[in-house]
Amino acid sequence: MKTFTWTLVLCAAMAVLSHPLFAEYAATPHRDVRPGEVPVGGPGVYAQPNTTYVLTADVSSATSPVFLGKDVTLDLNGYTLTYAAGGYEHVPNYGFEEGTKHWDLTGAPGAKVEDTAKVKPFIGEKILSLPVGEEIVSPYVNLPVADRAYYGMCGVLSQKMQVHISIEAEGGRPVTCEFKWQDKVRQTCPQTCAPRLGGGVTFALMYGQAAGRYRIRVKNTGDRVCLIDQVDIRPAMDVGVSIIEKTYPWAYHRCVWSGDACAFFDYTEPGTYSTPRDGLPKVSGTGTITIRNGVIRSGFRGIRSWGIQSTAAGVTLRVENVKVVAAGINTNALSHRGRGIVKDCRFEIDTPFIINRHSVSDSPVSISGADSDVMHCQFIGGQGCLHIVGDKSRVHDNLFVNRQRVTNHYSVGLGSARGTRVYRNRFEPEIGSGILMGRAKDCEVYENTFKIMTANGNCEYTNEDYSTNAIRITDYNAKKRERGAHGNRIHHNRFEITGRHYTNYKGFMGVATAVFVSVGGGVNHVYENEIVVNHTAPDSPSLACAFYLGGSRQAGEFYRNKITSNVPAVWCGTFYGNTSNAKICENTLIKADDAPAGFTPYQFGVKGRNAKATDIEFRDNTYVNCEFGIRKCGDGHSHTRSGKSAR
């Protein structure tokens, strides 16, 4: 009987491991305020230590409604907290989806609206082509809140394109704004600007102005036709729940190129660059802040906003059973510079593009502190989902549904974290990739499921190869170990990789992979995973594989994996560059029933490119329905083979 009982327990435990348990956000019924708790019925500062503040009604603000102090609990009590609910207006037809309707093209006789599906992918289905020297002008819109930050914004497709953005008050009065701190002065409006590599949303920062009617002008001041989208004036930098240690008022466009952080611009003491205004709590030192049980929502499709933002690096922030619903450009749910514990939350983020794709922390949830924990959450949408870079953190039992339209905004980004574990998650992006391990060390990824499909091109990669990956390990082929990604272990995961071929952009070659390695600083280990690769157009120029090894002097060790594929499963020497020092051992490679004639399990090199695969070791691999074979493109490859014979 004991044997039978323990068998049942073991089977139940295995079932739990193989089918992750996903708790999720649940609507909370309202309750009465208990003795000792403090009722909250409107916006304000809630900062008495060791106090629980309880909402007694829905709360909204035209700007940022709630500021918390240290060692407090904010219980939303099933109510909704809404920020940026100021009755703002959009510029009509700001995305040119209705052609040039509402726009004054007197100064732009050559401007025309084109289809992104035919020209270049960007934000919507339409994009405006603006010739050199020409200028478009919007109608006036009402900006109802005075003395606050707005961005006059313009999406620009390429870093090679430049615009001049200006804002005018009613009657055509030009608006000029300057940001001053200490003895320095920076003009913030108007602005001449270009995005960084990969395209982005450029802007002029307007603040300190009266409420009223304003319009935006955009002029092409570059040396080529400029492709633009999302031209609007929007409230900027609003926050649902604010936790301030320092402010970071680096909100004008030049700061994008400098890589400066931005937080609480409107709440910075004038003339300073980090001091919050009088009357706001300054949260410093260690402590705990808890936010729980309700909804935080943006009241307008703004730009550069957060449901929760915290610069208190010493504080542990607990967010439990909270749903954040927000939309806009660079609109995110949670940013915290310290340790975070996020549990049973749901993040619904509609942010079709961002200001700067190189800022990978501009993800719906960004947590910087070590020993953080994100569990039982649902991430729906966003440019990426979770950026968690603190050492020895845990990400487990979550659902990630990425809508990635910009490069390198993976569902989960680990940065250079050490010792972080990612396990029992489901990665099911609508568009995009799974986990990015950039210079990560000694991290472990296990018992996750990945469903990855080739993505179409984005505005940065349209006429060349572009990869969609379940996992990417990279240090950009670092020469020094301290700059390397090494000691990472990828094991006991399940991958479903679907290759597709797209034809609307000439020269585009999509790549879909389970694991993409571009490493030079050390060895990583990929073992005992189950991978299915199904290319729906295996004879097309687009590609799919299990292991994609390129730009790697230390490609790593791959052993005891089971791979079923209808195209070459392992590719060494790729579009990304040369491959060396890969050990491919004790794997089982199965040729799928629908594999085309001439199938081989491996490929070296790329047709028309000098990408070499050298020092590749094959040992004790098993081949089912096929034999050992390498499809080689180009010369200079080298490998060794030992152990089991093909069968």
Side-chain angles (χ1 to χ4, degrees):
M1 180 63 71
K2 288 184 178 179
T3 301
F4 177 72
T5 301
W6 279 110
T7 301
L8 288 178
V9 171
L10 179 60
C11 290
M14 292 178 66
V16 168
L17 290 175
S18 61
H19 295 86
L21 299 177
F22 293 100
E24 58 185 43
Y25 166 80
T28 303
H30 310 317
R31 64 172 178 83
D32 294 333
V33 178
R34 301 184 183 112
E37 297 178 333
V38 176
V40 172
V45 172
Y46 302 99
Q48 183 64 38
N50 304 311
T51 301
T52 296
Y53 295 96
V54 182
L55 263 64
T56 57
D58 292 336
V59 172
S60 66
S61 168
T63 54
S64 301
V66 170
F67 296 83
L68 297 182
K70 190 169 66 175
D71 295 322
V72 304
T73 294
L74 176 64
D75 191 335
L76 299 170
N77 193 21
Y79 290 103
T80 297
L81 177 68
T82 305
Y83 59 97
Y88 304 102
E89 293 180 3
H90 286 294
V91 167
N93 191 27
Y94 60 79
F96 306 105
E97 299 300 308
E98 300 178 76
T100 57
K101 183 179 179 181
H102 301 298
W103 286 91
D104 181 352
L105 302 184
T106 303
K112 60 181 179 180
V113 172
E114 301 190 63
D115 293 334
T116 54
K118 296 178 181 178
V119 181
K120 286 272 190 178
F122 200 28
I123 298 172
E125 295 181 2
K126 303 293 183 181
I127 195 167
L128 184 76
S129 174
L130 185 63
V132 173
E134 297 193 6
E135 182 180 55
I136 62 170
V137 185
S138 78
Y140 287 100
V141 294
N142 183 43
L143 303 183
V145 181
D147 297 319
R148 62 147 305 145
Y150 295 91
Y151 276 173
M153 55 180 259
C154 175
V156 179
L157 184 133
S158 168
Q159 77 278 8
K160 298 178 181 179
M161 301 172 182
Q162 178 181 279
V163 294
H164 180 78
I165 301 172
S166 57
I167 299 174
E168 295 175 339
E170 194 162 25
R173 176 179 62 83
V175 173
T176 300
C177 298
E178 295 177 333
F179 177 64
K180 301 176 182 180
W181 80 100
Q182 296 179 332
D183 60 345
K184 300 177 178 63
V185 179
R186 297 286 185 268
Q187 181 169 298
T188 69
C189 181
Q191 287 279 280
T192 298
C193 43
R196 293 189 63 184
L197 176 67
V201 178
T202 61
F203 56 85
L205 166 62
M206 180 180 80
Y207 70 102
Q209 303 297 307
R213 292 171 60 78
Y214 294 82
R215 69 184 180 186
I216 184 171
R217 291 177 173 268
V218 175
K219 184 176 183 178
N220 181 352
T221 55
D223 60 1
R224 66 196 65 202
V225 170
C226 191
L227 298 173
I228 64 174
D229 199 352
Q230 304 279 299
V231 182
D232 203 357
I233 307 174
R234 297 190 185 182
M237 295 170 285
D238 292 309
V239 179
V241 179
S242 303
I243 302 166
I244 306 175
E245 179 175 9
K246 297 179 180 179
T247 64
Y248 295 85
W250 314 120
Y252 50 95
H253 195 269
R254 177 175 169 180
C255 302
V256 173
W257 285 87
S258 302
D260 298 319
C262 176
F264 308 119
F265 175 83
D266 279 331
Y267 302 97
T268 300
E269 188 67 25
T272 74
Y273 59 86
S274 63
T275 305
R277 287 180 179 270
D278 288 345
L280 296 177
K282 184 175 181 180
V283 180
S284 59
T286 60
T288 300
I289 296 174
T290 300
I291 304 168
R292 66 189 185 205
N293 296 338
V295 178
I296 300 173
R297 182 184 297 274
S298 65
F300 189 75
R301 185 178 285 270
I303 182 169
R304 214 174 200 180
S305 66
W306 297 264
I308 303 167
Q309 187 176 34
S310 167
T311 60
V315 164
T316 294
L317 176 62
R318 303 182 66 97
V319 184
E320 302 170 352
N321 198 45
V322 172
K323 180 166 72 171
V324 180
V325 182
I329 299 295
N330 255 83
T331 295
N332 294 310
L334 166 63
S335 174
H336 177 44
R337 286 181 169 256
R339 178 178 181 239
I341 299 174
V342 183
K343 180 180 179 183
D344 298 336
C345 293
R346 181 177 174 91
F347 305 105
E348 299 177 6
I349 305 298
D350 178 9
T351 182
F353 216 81
I354 63 175
I355 293 167
N356 171 25
R357 73 91 165 159
H358 300 271
S359 179
V360 291
S361 62
D362 285 337
S363 294
V365 175
S366 179
I367 300 172
S368 302
D371 193 31
S372 293
D373 204 334
V374 178
M375 55 184 147
H376 304 297
C377 295
Q378 296 173 316
F379 294 77
I380 311 299
Q383 295 305 313
C385 297
L386 171 65
H387 182 250
I388 182 166
V389 296
D391 294 346
K392 296 183 178 179
S393 294
R394 295 158 300 282
V395 179
H396 60 96
D397 300 292
N398 303 288
L399 171 65
F400 296 97
V401 184
N402 196 357
R403 296 193 187 112
Q404 178 191 346
R405 293 182 176 89
V406 299
T407 304
N408 283 348
H409 280 245
Y410 281 56
S411 301
V412 173
L414 300 183
S416 56
R418 291 177 179 266
T420 288
R421 293 185 294 143
V422 181
Y423 57 98
R424 291 201 308 264
N425 302 284
R426 285 165 44 201
F427 292 86
E428 301 177 5
E430 290 184 15
I431 308 170
S433 297
I435 302 174
L436 178 59
M437 306 171 73
R439 299 193 171 94
K441 299 171 179 64
D442 302 316
C443 294
E444 191 173 6
V445 178
Y446 59 96
E447 294 175 8
N448 303 282
T449 61
F450 298 85
K451 295 182 179 180
I452 302 295
M453 180 181 292
T454 310
N456 204 346
N458 63 21
C459 65
E460 185 175 356
Y461 294 96
T462 310
N463 308 111
E464 55 189 313
D465 58 290
Y466 174 62
S467 66
T468 312
N469 315 293
I471 299 173
R472 183 178 179 189
I473 310 174
T474 184
D475 58 21
Y476 296 98
N477 213 7
K479 295 181 179 180
K480 296 182 179 180
R481 184 172 174 81
E482 59 268 25
R483 295 284 293 167
H486 51 76
N488 299 296
R489 293 180 292 156
I490 314 297
H491 63 93
H492 294 97
N493 301 285
R494 296 178 180 176
F495 300 86
E496 296 179 18
I497 308 300
T498 301
R500 293 189 59 184
H501 180 55
Y502 299 91
T503 60
N504 52 319
Y505 302 118
K506 184 178 180 180
F508 176 70
M509 293 171 288
V511 180
T513 81
V515 182
F516 174 9
V517 178
S518 50
V519 168
V523 176
N524 299 283
H525 308 270
V526 180
Y527 59 95
E528 296 180 6
N529 300 284
E530 184 173 346
I531 306 168
V532 176
V533 180
N534 176 36
H535 200 319
T536 59
D539 295 321
S540 72
S542 295
L543 310 161
C545 62
F547 304 142
Y548 186 73
L549 315 179
S552 289
R553 285 189 299 275
Q554 295 288 341
E557 299 183 358
F558 303 81
Y559 49 94
R560 295 195 297 276
N561 300 285
K562 180 182 177 182
I563 307 171
T564 303
S565 181
N566 65 348
V567 287
V570 180
W571 193 350
C572 303
T574 70
F575 288 112
Y576 211 72
N578 299 332
T579 306
S580 296
N581 297 308
K583 294 184 178 181
I584 301 166
C585 308
E586 300 179 28
N587 301 284
T588 299
L589 292 97
I590 305 169
K591 174 187 172 183
D593 292 340
D594 62 342
F599 171 90
T600 61
Y602 307 111
Q603 177 158 337
F604 285 1
V606 179
K607 185 178 180 180
R609 297 200 187 185
N610 186 27
K612 293 182 173 60
T614 57
D615 297 320
I616 312 299
E617 177 185 348
F618 299 102
R619 176 169 50 83
D620 289 324
N621 296 293
T622 298
Y623 304 95
V624 178
N625 301 331
C626 63
E627 297 181 351
F628 176 88
I630 304 172
R631 182 185 302 166
K632 295 182 180 180
C633 297
D635 301 320
H637 308 299
S638 66
H639 73 276
T640 61
R641 181 187 175 205
S642 62
K644 293 181 181 179
S645 299
R647 64 179 177 86

